[in-house]
Amino acid sequence: MEASCGDTHGVEVREIGGSKGKGLFALCKFSAGETIFEERPLVCSQFLWNQAYGYLACDYCMRPLETAEENAQRLSSNRQLVLPYPQCCNTKKENHVNCSQCEVSYCSVACQSLAWEQYHRVLCFGGSGGDSNHPLEQLQVAWRNVHYPPETASIMLIARMIATVKQAKDKEGAIHLFSQFCHSTVNEEEQIAHKLLGERFQVQLEQLRELLSKALFEECIYHWFTPEGFRSLIALVGTNGQGVGTSPLSVWTKNCDALDLPTEEKQHLNEFIDHLYEEVDKETGAFLNNEGSGLYPLQSSCNHSCVPNAEATFPYSNFVLVMEAVKDIEPGEEIVVCYLDDCNRHRSRHSRIKMLRYVKAIF
């Protein structure tokens, strides 16, 4: 699998053996700050607890549907809060649309059409109006009951994988797209790949499998619905799911940071942002900018390092992942990543320094 670097092929996935299995390697030089590749997920889904707590995102691309001010008001529990520099908010409410059948929301007609063509025809509740007896509703409730925040995966990723196969004209081709992901139920230390695969969750796991089978069974992927096949699917999304960050407050903060302001006004703005995040921390805990997860073939091939040479970013405020070089990368060098979530990178300088000190202490 390759991705472009100018007019040439810039990266490739290689089998490297051992505990890592495979890795992503550069085929040409990338300078620090340069985009290595851009990638859309095969499937993407908002975390169900984020959805339950009122975070509004496009059901297809994860673009925020609430304004930065609405987001800040909700997270800080301060409905009177007014954000300065409203021009720094990118949310375009006039473009939002809802599915006429199930009322899920999209940021645009284009996203609504893409979702309908890929998987939403299967997942649409057909006007059930959130009927609690609908199998998909029961599946989501069951998932929330066994997977409290912070979420690290979503059962709806699996549902969308299955729906994608069910709607695909080339079902074998669709199955192959998902087969490239690692789906071992244990990792190299012989530990479980996701907590739901642990012994204490076996009853709940079987309940999830039965609900998924009732809602979406498909003969050509019957093996996905067997007990072992379902465990592999849980392992797949648990191991490969990439957090997707699309916070409108984060985007507003980043855009504010780019404003050309007098020194005193800039300092006042930084102090306002610091205070705002402190209030968010008090009301809702640490504000993490991972509102959902997606399956990205290239990104999932990147191995972890505490000294990374690349990082995954979401500069378009949707599910498009942009892998950027954080240092010069030479041809033949492995591309490795680490995490400092996008939201914390986009706080003011003072908050970023505190967060970086915290992450350094962890490592």
Side-chain angles (χ1 to χ4, degrees):
M1 182 181 299
E2 300 179 344
S4 295
C5 173
D7 294 329
T8 63
H9 295 297
V11 298
E12 70 175 1
V13 178
R14 298 177 186 171
E15 295 294 332
I16 55 181
S19 62
K20 291 184 177 181
K22 62 182 179 179
L24 190 68
F25 291 81
L27 295 180
C28 61
K29 180 174 180 177
F30 294 97
S31 300
E34 187 177 354
T35 294
I36 302 172
F37 63 83
E38 295 189 7
E39 185 176 25
R40 290 190 173 202
L42 297 184
V43 287
C44 179
S45 178
Q46 185 180 14
F47 289 143
L48 292 179
W49 276 109
N50 282 109
Q51 187 180 75
Y53 282 135
Y55 184 94
L56 303 178
C58 175
D59 199 58
Y60 180 71
C61 80
M62 291 290 300
R63 187 179 298 278
L65 299 182
E66 60 183 351
T67 66
E69 186 168 276
E70 291 170 335
N71 188 224
Q73 289 175 347
R74 179 171 57 79
L75 292 171
S76 65
S77 297
N78 180 4
R79 296 299 176 182
Q80 306 305 313
L81 177 67
V82 176
L83 294 187
Y85 310 103
Q87 71 273 20
C88 291
C89 176
N90 289 353
T91 304
K92 308 295 182 185
K93 285 197 165 188
E94 63 273 16
N95 296 332
H96 300 172
V97 295
N98 294 333
C99 173
S100 61
Q101 299 295 316
C102 64
E103 294 299 316
V104 299
S105 300
Y106 300 95
C107 68
S108 65
V109 172
C111 276
Q112 181 183 24
S113 298
L114 289 168
W116 184 259
E117 289 303 315
Q118 181 182 341
Y119 56 77
H120 192 63
R121 285 202 307 272
V122 167
L123 297 182
C124 184
F125 294 179
S128 66
D131 180 5
S132 60
N133 292 320
H134 193 286
L136 283 175
E137 287 280 3
Q138 293 179 339
L139 179 67
Q140 293 175 75
V141 170
W143 177 265
R144 285 194 293 267
N145 286 340
V146 298
H147 200 319
Y148 291 99
E151 288 180 82
T152 56
S154 174
I155 192 67
M156 293 309 294
L157 276 183
I158 296 176
R160 291 185 181 188
M161 288 170 59
I162 295 170
T164 294
V165 172
K166 289 173 73 75
Q167 285 192 204
K169 294 179 181 178
D170 178 9
K171 296 186 186 301
E172 288 300 319
I175 294 170
H176 176 72
L177 288 176
F178 296 115
S179 69
Q180 62 192 293
F181 292 99
C182 168
H183 59 277
S184 173
T185 57
V186 295
N187 64 17
E188 62 270 19
E189 285 83 28
E190 298 301 314
Q191 297 173 337
I192 58 174
H194 191 280
K195 70 175 186 178
L196 291 182
L197 298 177
E199 184 175 344
R200 61 180 292 215
F201 289 104
Q202 291 312 295
V203 173
Q204 294 93 327
L205 196 68
E206 178 60 18
Q207 179 190 22
L208 290 169
R209 186 186 71 84
E210 290 176 354
L211 288 171
L212 188 72
S213 298
K214 182 178 180 181
L216 296 170
F217 183 80
E218 170 69 24
E219 183 63 35
C220 71
I221 46 173
Y222 72 92
H223 54 285
W224 285 6
F225 297 93
T226 65
E228 188 54 39
F230 184 63
R231 285 175 59 86
S232 292
L233 291 180
I234 293 291
L236 186 154
V237 298
T239 302
N240 298 280
Q242 161 68 41
V244 179
T246 63
S247 162
L249 180 58
S250 174
V251 172
W252 174 84
T253 304
K254 180 178 68 173
N255 290 340
C256 283
D257 198 44
L259 291 173
D260 185 13
L261 301 174
T263 301
E264 185 176 346
E265 190 174 349
K266 190 74 165 182
Q267 181 178 353
H268 179 73
L269 176 59
N270 281 345
E271 290 173 354
F272 175 88
I273 293 172
D274 281 346
H275 177 71
L276 173 57
Y277 276 104
E278 287 171 1
E279 291 302 307
V280 168
D281 287 342
K282 289 178 184 178
E283 292 297 323
T284 60
F287 182 58
L288 301 179
N289 193 28
N290 289 337
E291 308 296 349
S293 61
L295 296 177
Y296 298 81
L298 285 177
Q299 174 277 332
S300 70
S301 299
C302 294
N303 287 308
H304 167 80
S305 173
C306 289
V307 187
N309 56 20
E311 66 177 2
T313 66
F314 296 88
Y316 304 121
S317 192
N318 61 9
F319 62 13
V320 176
L321 182 151
V322 176
M323 190 66 71
E324 294 183 353
V326 297
K327 58 178 67 175
D328 291 349
I329 301 173
E330 298 298 326
E333 187 176 351
E334 185 176 5
I335 297 167
V336 290
V337 298
C338 187
Y339 290 102
L340 174 60
D341 69 87
D342 195 53
C343 174
N344 288 317
R345 284 198 302 271
H346 291 154
R347 293 187 181 192
S348 68
R349 181 174 291 104
H350 178 61
S351 288
R352 287 199 300 265
I353 290 172
K354 289 194 294 184
M355 181 56 64
L356 287 168
R357 285 175 179 166
Y358 173 70
V359 172
K360 184 177 180 181
I362 292 176
F363 287 114

